[in-house]
Amino acid sequence: MKKSFFYVSLAALIIFSISFLYYQEKKQRTEAGNKYTITTFSTTKNNYNPENKETREVFNLLIENSSEKEQQYNVALLKNDSPLGNKKVKIPAQSRKIIEISDDTAQKITRDSRDSFKYEAKISWNDNSRSIYKKIYID
Amino acid sequence: MEIILELLKLNFALIFLLFLPGYFALKALFPKNNFFSPAGEITVSFGFSIVISNFLMMFIDRMGLKISASNVFLAFLVFTGLTALIYFKRKERKKSVKNREINFSKGWMAFFSILILSIYARLIYLTPKIIPHTTDSGHHMYWVQHILDFARLPDYGIPDVIIGEHIIFAAIASLSGLGIVNALPAIVLFLINIFSLFAIFLLAYQLSKFWFSQKNSFTIGLLAMFAIGVLYAISSPQAKYINGGVVGNMMGGLFIPLSLYLFAKALERKNQALSALGVLFIGNLAYTHHLSTFVYLYVIAGLFLAFGLFFLILITRGGKIKDFWSKLNIIINLKSFLTGIFLILFVFIIRVPSYLNPSAIDTAVGSPSKSTRTGMELSDLILSTGPWRFFYSVLASLFLFGIIFLTINKKTAINKFANKFFYLKIKDNVLAGISACVALAWFWMIFAMSSFPDLLKIDIPSGRIANYLTYPSALLSVIGIFFLIKPVVKRLPQVAFIFFFLIISTGIISGSADISEFYPENSKKESEMYAETFKASQYLKEKTTEEEVILKDHVYLPADSWVKVFLMRGYERPLSRALLKRYDDPVKDRETCTRDMIAIPDTETGKNCFEETSTKYIILRNGYDTQQFEKSENFSKLYASENVVIYQKN
């Protein structure tokens, strides 16, 4: 067997194998990433100051739709387990959306609250539902 | 298009860093002497490239230069260019020496067939779980990412990791620009494993040449490659370790047989420079994996003991000291000595391996302190090695003791009979004896370390040592099979064929006995969970600060050790709930907060732990130990995907 033939054959075999592994990993990670919906708060902060509008972000939600089709999400907000209201949100495929709370809504939520309360978002889509919640402290 | 570009970058980086430097350095050292077959040349080039990468990168770092893509590229370009220049200059001056490696076309076809089967077995296993997720790989890639982020080699501060486990990954990731949260770590380990198969083939071939004809030796080499490449392809320390990211062991699996091969080749060709290269490879191993180096040093001690006994017996039976010295001088000589001096100076001037401190040495050497370190029972050792391999290794040992007997025996009648019956072709008795000692010492020394650690003052888990029997048992077992079959092949070919078929079938059954364990039933679901953990880690990276303490769960959260690779906030961060049995350590006092904060967060113990550790975020697998957090008023749930949740302490 000629040396060059050995090298070329071996190189072809190895390059094919490693390329195959690399491609498979990328494909699997992409496919795995096309399955989920992530429901989170857009910030981990908890303190709301009615005088400071920027702190309103503590109420904001972030929903990521990683699937390959547009999804409609129903977002139900609760305060200390009492409903505050509902909102429907459409999020295109493979994108994320921040659902902001208006200043009026934030003021409305925190009215009659003392130091803190439980703020919850129940998100449902198709046959799925999920809830996230945080303790909001009023400054 | 993007994938094609990435593949081009990946393959370029691999060839540029894992083949060219070693190839031209080898050619520069031996410009006209073609010691190696093509398989030998490429395998030694691969190993040499890893050695060069390690030493060159440590040197660059010591000079204060950044480990950036451009510096890596330039450094390797200069090195490869210089060595290529030296090679071409020396090639002009020196006369060509004929390559005495005979080509056996059919044999090389068999080589490729075995290689294809070996690669196939590994690809089938690796593909469903190729997304990086295992514990060891996460730990190692944290340090690789550290090198990429800071463009400097890290000061580890702990003896558990060594620089040689990370440099080559960092160099390839840096040069290719592809990062490490992909198949790159597995690909590098896959290559190391494949070249380990070549190393075993070469070592088996080389050692056998001292007992048999070249053709028969080649057959033994092929059988060894089959035994290690196809049989037991998945179990530790092979494909399972590729997937597991067990870098150090895999490097040991390459460099131990490769350096033994270089020493054997040096003896065959009477070339001291090849020995010096073997010493350099041992030095590289010392910078790569302390356990492999530790095991290898014991093996070398066993080897010298075996040599010493062999030579003593030879001399008492009329052998000449001159013969003994001429062989020893090939291994122990000025070139090897100077290489050793270079390595010692490198340690003191450039970089000290992280484990070279008294406490680390104290941990490994001494009387076994735990039940897992007091030696394995023979039955467990046989199971761990593989019953088939173990049986034929014991058989081979008897045959090799027979070889040693023949080399010291004066009774020519016995020698004539044995040579004729087993088709032996011993040209040099001393070399035949030495090579038998190598094969025997490699296996039996590790056997002794696993079975009688107290006797040898070893305080390391015996199961980990026993893993090192994989390669020597592959080598020995095929030697045993060859000794059994060869006498029958020419005399009773049909019987030999049936015999061989039975032996190989039992080998396949034994080698694939636990294969069903290794193939995941629901790999797609697992891949989704890994991707979710990566996403959650990314969220924590973006939304939390460096000072905020995070706790993760190693027990149930998939790909949990990769959380630290995303966060890059310290090797010990995030905090981690370990496997529950770890908390019941009879020897060491273990903290229990990481367990209690997840198991009993609302109790006094749990609350005290939260206060003590300042833990603010807990990342868990959804539905696993999450009930206590869902019911509690003390925690918020900030993040939820299908399989991963993040809680925040209120």
Side-chain angles (χ1 to χ4, degrees):
Chain A
M1 175 181 285
K2 279 188 178 166
K3 198 167 162 176
S4 53
F5 180 78
F6 179 88
Y7 271 124
V8 168
S9 309
L10 188 62
L13 204 51
I14 288 178
I15 288 172
F16 168 77
S17 307
I18 59 185
S19 302
F20 177 78
L21 284 172
Y22 188 86
Y23 168 73
Q24 277 296 324
E25 194 275 337
K26 193 159 175 130
K27 179 170 169 268
Q28 284 177 33
R29 201 147 38 91
T30 308
E31 281 173 2
N34 288 347
K35 298 272 188 285
Y36 47 72
T37 289
I38 298 174
T39 52
T40 76
F41 290 101
S42 66
T43 174
T44 56
K45 294 175 190 165
N46 308 81
N47 291 66
Y48 174 62
N49 184 349
E51 313 289 316
N52 182 354
K53 287 186 184 174
E54 279 179 16
T55 60
R56 196 173 13 110
E57 63 171 352
V58 302
F59 297 105
N60 293 349
L61 306 172
L62 171 63
I63 301 178
E64 181 172 332
N65 172 22
S66 292
S67 70
E68 285 165 329
K69 42 184 191 171
E70 186 184 72
Q71 297 272 19
Q72 179 163 284
Y73 297 90
N74 185 56
V75 180
L77 298 176
L78 297 99
K79 174 187 170 182
N80 289 335
D81 298 322
S82 303
L84 288 170
N86 268 7
K87 195 173 181 176
K88 284 194 194 314
V89 175
K90 272 191 185 159
I91 300 179
Q94 311 245 319
S95 58
R96 43 162 59 178
K97 189 169 184 173
I98 293 179
I99 296 142
E100 288 186 8
I101 304 295
S102 68
D103 206 27
D104 284 343
T105 312
Q107 302 269 6
K108 198 170 133 190
I109 290 172
T110 54
R111 199 186 301 151
D112 303 330
S113 295
R114 287 191 184 170
D115 303 319
S116 64
F117 61 91
K118 180 183 173 187
Y119 174 66
E120 185 173 356
K122 282 189 174 162
I123 300 130
S124 50
W125 72 102
N126 301 333
D127 293 325
N128 304 293
S129 73
R130 214 177 274 160
S131 97
I132 51 174
Y133 49 87
K134 63 159 63 165
K135 195 159 186 176
I136 304 277
Y137 298 92
I138 301 171
D139 290 341
Chain B
M1 262 320 282
E2 193 189 322
I3 185 76
I4 294 174
L5 193 63
E6 287 179 16
L7 286 172
L8 281 169
K9 285 181 188 175
L10 175 68
N11 286 295
F12 168 75
L14 290 171
I15 294 169
F16 188 74
L17 296 172
L18 286 180
F19 175 64
L20 292 179
Y23 177 78
F24 283 111
L26 198 64
K27 287 295 196 188
L29 284 174
F30 310 105
K32 287 284 190 168
N33 292 324
N34 294 322
F35 296 123
F36 305 109
S37 61
E41 191 171 70
I42 197 164
T43 308
V44 177
S45 298
F46 179 81
F48 206 178
S49 295
I50 296 177
V51 174
I52 291 162
S53 299
N54 287 339
F55 285 96
L56 195 56
M57 298 271 277
M58 283 191 275
F59 180 76
I60 291 171
D61 184 67
R62 188 73 172 90
M63 295 300 109
L65 296 169
K66 284 189 176 180
I67 313 276
S68 60
S70 49
N71 283 350
V72 167
F73 177 73
L74 274 167
F76 279 85
L77 188 68
V78 167
F79 181 89
T80 305
L82 273 172
T83 47
L85 201 66
I86 295 169
Y87 163 54
F88 289 119
K89 285 277 178 207
R90 289 189 75 192
K91 192 179 165 185
E92 283 164 18
R93 287 204 309 262
K94 285 204 168 196
K95 276 189 198 166
S96 178
V97 170
K98 197 176 171 190
N99 185 354
R100 285 184 274 161
E101 297 290 334
I102 299 171
N103 287 324
F104 304 109
S105 289
K106 283 184 193 163
W108 288 112
M109 283 299 150
F111 175 91
F112 269 103
S113 305
I114 294 168
L115 178 61
I116 288 167
L117 277 172
S118 305
I119 288 176
Y120 179 72
R122 282 151 182 79
L123 290 184
I124 291 291
Y125 172 74
L126 290 171
T127 305
K129 43 177 83 180
I130 191 63
I131 295 177
H133 64 280
T134 53
T135 305
D136 275 11
S137 63
H139 291 321
H140 284 301
M141 291 310 119
Y142 169 84
W143 291 113
V144 175
Q145 189 63 50
H146 194 281
I147 297 171
L148 295 173
D149 287 350
F150 293 100
R152 296 301 307 267
L153 297 184
D155 278 322
Y156 292 113
I158 46 170
D160 304 353
V161 282
I162 306 111
I163 194 65
E165 291 175 300
H166 309 130
I167 284 178
I168 194 62
F169 296 92
I172 294 167
S174 177
L175 191 64
S176 62
L178 294 174
I180 45 148
V181 187
N182 50 41
L184 196 149
I187 284 168
V188 175
L189 292 177
F190 169 79
L191 284 174
I192 290 170
N193 185 232
I194 293 299
F195 281 98
S196 304
L197 308 186
F198 292 177
I200 291 294
F201 158 76
L202 293 166
L203 181 61
Y205 177 23
Q206 186 60 56
L207 289 178
S208 308
K209 278 205 273 186
F210 297 121
W211 315 316
F212 298 104
S213 67
Q214 199 151 5
K215 199 170 182 184
N216 284 336
S217 310
F218 194 88
T219 306
I220 292 174
L222 289 177
L223 284 173
M225 193 163 143
F226 180 80
I228 194 82
V230 181
L231 310 181
Y232 304 94
I234 309 305
S235 45
S236 316
Q238 299 219 70
K240 202 174 165 196
Y241 273 22
I242 297 174
N243 180 54
V246 191
V247 180
N249 271 81
M250 300 221 67
M251 289 282 196
L254 171 66
F255 281 97
I256 292 175
L258 200 49
S259 65
L260 285 174
Y261 165 67
L262 286 169
F263 291 130
K265 189 56 112 175
L267 286 168
E268 187 202 22
R269 297 303 179 99
K270 299 182 177 55
N271 188 292
Q272 294 177 349
L274 283 171
S275 283
L277 196 58
V279 171
L280 185 66
F281 278 33
I282 296 175
N284 176 72
L285 189 61
Y287 269 108
T288 306
H289 195 223
H290 44 11
L291 180 57
S292 296
T293 312
F294 184 76
V295 168
Y296 197 22
L297 289 175
Y298 267 80
V299 168
I300 290 172
L303 265 169
F304 277 106
L305 188 68
F307 290 162
L309 279 168
F310 173 63
F311 288 134
L312 213 66
I313 298 171
L314 254 186
I315 284 161
T316 53
R317 294 184 73 98
K320 295 186 183 130
I321 292 180
K322 187 178 76 179
D323 281 341
F324 152 75
W325 174 247
S326 68
K327 303 295 186 279
L328 193 66
N329 188 232
I330 295 167
I331 306 295
I332 303 171
N333 52 69
L334 183 65
K335 286 179 181 145
S336 305
F337 181 71
L338 286 174
T339 308
I341 297 291
F342 162 75
L343 289 166
I344 293 168
L345 286 173
F346 199 91
V347 165
F348 284 106
I349 298 171
I350 306 294
R351 190 177 177 102
V352 180
S354 50
Y355 59 86
L356 276 186
N357 65 72
S359 71
I361 294 165
D362 187 47
T363 307
V365 179
S367 295
S369 55
K370 277 194 210 175
S371 62
T372 50
R373 300 165 185 228
T374 51
M376 288 178 82
E377 295 291 331
L378 182 63
S379 51
D380 292 331
L381 201 54
I382 291 170
L383 264 173
S384 160
T385 311
W388 184 89
R389 278 196 298 217
F390 195 90
F391 172 75
Y392 288 109
S393 296
V394 171
L395 199 67
S397 303
L398 296 173
F399 286 123
L400 290 178
F401 277 120
I403 294 263
I404 293 172
F405 172 76
L406 291 176
T407 60
I408 58 178
N409 183 44
K410 296 272 188 190
K411 291 184 182 136
T412 51
I414 298 174
N415 285 27
K416 261 190 186 163
F417 170 77
N419 288 345
K420 198 176 175 190
F421 188 78
F422 289 108
Y423 296 89
L424 296 170
K425 271 192 166 49
I426 297 175
K427 291 175 198 156
D428 187 319
N429 279 340
V430 176
L431 288 181
I434 289 174
S435 52
C437 288
V438 167
L440 288 167
W442 190 17
F443 180 87
W444 290 106
M445 198 61 198
I446 298 172
F447 177 87
M449 288 171 78
S450 315
S451 304
F452 315 111
D454 199 12
L455 215 65
L456 297 168
K457 295 292 169 211
I458 291 163
D459 188 12
I460 291 169
S462 304
R464 289 202 69 186
I465 307 263
N467 270 332
Y468 286 88
L469 278 174
T470 299
Y471 291 97
S473 63
L475 173 72
L476 268 191
S477 57
V478 300
I479 291 170
I481 291 167
F482 190 84
F483 267 108
L484 262 186
I485 299 283
K486 189 63 186 175
V488 187
V489 158
K490 288 233 168 115
R491 296 176 178 102
L492 296 164
Q494 290 101 334
V495 173
F497 177 76
I498 295 166
F499 209 10
F500 185 71
F501 177 76
L502 281 171
I503 290 173
I504 294 301
S505 315
T506 49
I508 291 169
I509 292 166
S510 175
S512 47
D514 48 3
I515 220 164
S516 58
E517 275 179 46
F518 296 132
Y519 285 84
E521 282 178 19
N522 202 348
S523 56
K524 264 201 172 163
K525 179 83 184 158
E526 287 182 8
S527 300
E528 285 164 22
M529 290 197 281
Y530 307 147
E532 287 188 49
T533 303
F534 293 168
K535 264 287 175 181
S537 307
Q538 198 61 45
Y539 175 84
L540 286 169
K541 166 94 180 170
E542 286 166 13
K543 306 291 182 190
T544 66
T545 65
E546 292 259 346
E547 296 73 33
E548 289 174 317
V549 179
I550 300 166
L551 169 66
K552 68 165 172 74
D553 181 23
H554 178 57
V555 180
Y556 297 116
L557 185 69
D560 72 289
S561 72
W562 281 78
V563 176
K564 66 152 80 76
V565 180
F566 283 85
L567 292 177
M568 291 307 294
R569 290 179 189 170
Y571 185 69
E572 300 297 332
R573 294 295 174 102
L575 301 180
S576 180
R577 175 171 76 165
L579 294 175
L580 299 177
K581 63 183 178 190
R582 279 234 167 175
Y583 295 100
D584 300 321
D585 193 325
V587 174
K588 244 198 264 184
D589 253 336
R590 300 267 184 186
E591 62 80 27
T592 53
C593 271
T594 46
R595 178 194 63 191
D596 298 337
M597 283 190 283
I598 291 176
I600 43 171
D602 278 337
T603 61
E604 268 320 297
T605 308
K607 285 178 184 169
N608 288 339
C609 281
F610 273 103
E611 204 170 307
E612 211 176 284
T613 60
S614 308
T615 300
K616 193 163 177 194
Y617 300 96
I618 308 105
I619 173 171
L620 300 173
R621 184 170 168 185
N622 198 3
Y624 290 76
D625 273 325
T626 51
Q627 273 297 92
Q628 46 268 42
F629 293 93
E630 295 286 325
K631 288 182 196 167
S632 171
E633 285 179 358
N634 296 319
F635 295 91
S636 300
K637 184 159 76 175
L638 297 185
Y639 177 107
S641 61
E642 177 136 358
N643 291 292
V644 181
V645 290
I646 298 174
Y647 294 99
Q648 181 192 52
K649 176 96 176 55
N650 289 339

